[in-house]
Amino acid sequence: MRWAQTGHDIIIGSRDAARAHDRAVTMRERTKKLTIVGKDNVEAAAMGDVVVIALPANGLAATLPPAREACRGKVVISTVVPLTFGGARLFTPPPAGSSAEEIQALLPDAKVVAAFHHIAAHELAETEHDIECDLLMCGADVAAKAVVTELGTSMGLRVVDVGPLSNAGPLEAITAVLATINRRYKLKNSGIKITGLPS
Amino acid sequence: MRWAQTGHDIIIGSRDAARAHDRAVTMRERTKKLTIVGKDNVEAAAMGDVVVIALPANGLAATLPPAREACRGKVVISTVVPLTFGGARLFTPPPAGSSAEEIQALLPDAKVVAAFHHIAAHELAETEHDIECDLLMCGADVAAKAVVTELGTSMGLRVVDVGPLSNAGPLEAITAVLATINRRYKLKNSGIKITGLPS
């Protein structure tokens, strides 16, 4: 919703193109922006300049391989967090070290950047207020991180570069911290800010 | 240094009691507080009401077992972060899930609380300025977390309860984020603040 408001074209992807289309219609009505469409996942990936992956962590291996060619050479943003609710441990990194690194292995020709894990979904859906959270990102490709920086800045976020994609596990882990704080303090939008950075 | 300044008695522990004694002498001179002494690790643990573990992550299994009885029933604060500098990945959780959980397994009769990972050492050594960082803690024992809350508050920190000890991995992981930011932005004291909490 925030990207639509700032003038980006939006392609919603889903396993079910009809569901993606319905969601796009709803977003068009809410934003009064016409350039929002819904497609099946592979077609959405093929149409996009930047691909944002917001899937459950356990669905990556089943969903991504058909989109490999569609993602070739593109900036792919992983927002995925491997959390397990109701078990003994909320966060356990996957064997790849992080969901972002798993995505990079499944889409070897993409430029994966891990980011947006800590911005609550409803903060992205409501566009009237400022988001009180830094955007932490990591990835191997400097140009890809510049694109993500622009996308974050366009919604008013301060963007902090947290180095290589091997730091994605710690970024994903922070979501477990925020989810626990939300539950314990009865919040829905705790976030984090880095202190000590030059302003 | 900050605890000494606020009136706590301090016992420095070391494998080498003479080194601990020398450090205690230096701290007594700097703080003008007489109740700072140095002992070997097990004696220090036996004397303390609260035990703070600030060891390298790979030294826990060798160092802690002799202190098991000395730590029985006590609040044991783990500040340990399992970071690997110079390798492919800065943070990899140990098999126990976190260093704090490894400590709990080595000291089964202690009340382990994970905390203070994000407060830079030099922030604790210099006592003149406020520390711009929240104290995130987790652990199983509510009374032990109340003690840690008091110890954090006594040095001016806001304390945030991040639930059970199984969240210690994410807290330890945040140190990798801050270490990377320090290096990348040429800082020595980046920290984090949780946003969205009632003030």
Side-chain angles (χ1 to χ4, degrees), chain A residues 79-96:
Chain A
T79 72
V80 178
V81 285
L83 299 188
T84 306
F85 292 93
R89 189 181 300 279
L90 187 51
F91 174 76
T92 305

Side-chain angles (χ1 to χ4, degrees), chain A residues 88-91 93 96-97 101 132 159-163 166-167 170-171 173-174 176-178 180-181 184-185 187 189-198, chain B residues 88-91 93 96-97 101 132 159-163 166-167 170-171 173-174 176-178 180-181 184-185 187 189-198:
Chain A
R89 189 181 300 279
L90 187 51
F91 174 76
E101 288 159 287
E132 197 195 358
V159 180
V160 182
D161 186 343
V162 188
S166 62
N167 273 339
L171 293 191
I174 291 173
V177 173
L178 298 179
T180 302
I181 289 171
R184 182 163 287 266
Y185 291 89
L187 308 172
N189 61 345
S190 68
I192 81 166
K193 287 265 194 185
I194 301 297
T195 61
L197 286 168
Chain B
R89 190 181 298 281
L90 187 52
F91 174 78
E101 288 159 288
E132 197 195 357
V159 180
V160 182
D161 186 343
V162 188
S166 61
N167 272 338
L171 292 191
I174 290 172
V177 173
L178 297 178
T180 301
I181 290 171
R184 183 163 286 266
Y185 292 88
L187 307 172
N189 62 344
S190 68
I192 81 165
K193 287 265 194 187
I194 300 298
T195 60
L197 285 168

Side-chain angles (χ1 to χ4, degrees), chain B residues 2-145:
Chain B
R2 287 183 183 262
W3 283 334
Q5 290 290 6
T6 55
H8 291 289
D9 297 351
I10 305 293
I11 307 129
I12 309 279
S14 172
R15 279 177 299 182
D16 176 354
R19 279 184 64 199
H21 174 73
D22 289 348
R23 171 62 78 173
V25 169
T26 303
M27 285 182 65
R28 283 204 294 267
E29 289 167 353
R30 286 185 58 193
T31 58
K32 316 296 181 197
K33 302 285 182 182
L34 296 179
T35 56
I36 305 174
V37 299
K39 302 288 178 183
D40 72 59
N41 280 323
V42 174
E43 195 173 357
M47 286 175 71
D49 295 321
V50 172
V51 177
V52 179
I53 298 180
L55 291 164
N58 60 14
L60 298 174
T63 306
L64 294 185
R68 177 172 168 171
E69 276 309 308
C71 292
R72 179 184 291 276
K74 291 183 181 174
V75 177
V76 170
I77 301 175
S78 170
T79 72
V80 177
V81 285
L83 298 190
T84 306
F85 292 94
R89 190 181 298 281
L90 187 52
F91 174 78
T92 305
S98 63
S99 290
E101 288 159 288
E102 184 180 344
I103 290 170
Q104 184 67 79
L106 292 164
L107 304 173
D109 313 306
K111 298 165 184 169
V112 176
V113 177
F116 289 99
H117 316 86
H118 315 131
I119 318 292
H122 71 270
E123 299 272 21
L124 297 171
E126 299 160 10
T127 60
E128 299 300 309
H129 65 286
D130 291 341
I131 300 171
E132 197 195 357
C133 188
D134 285 337
L135 179 67
L136 307 187
M137 69 169 178
C138 67
D141 191 282
V142 172
K145 288 200 277 194

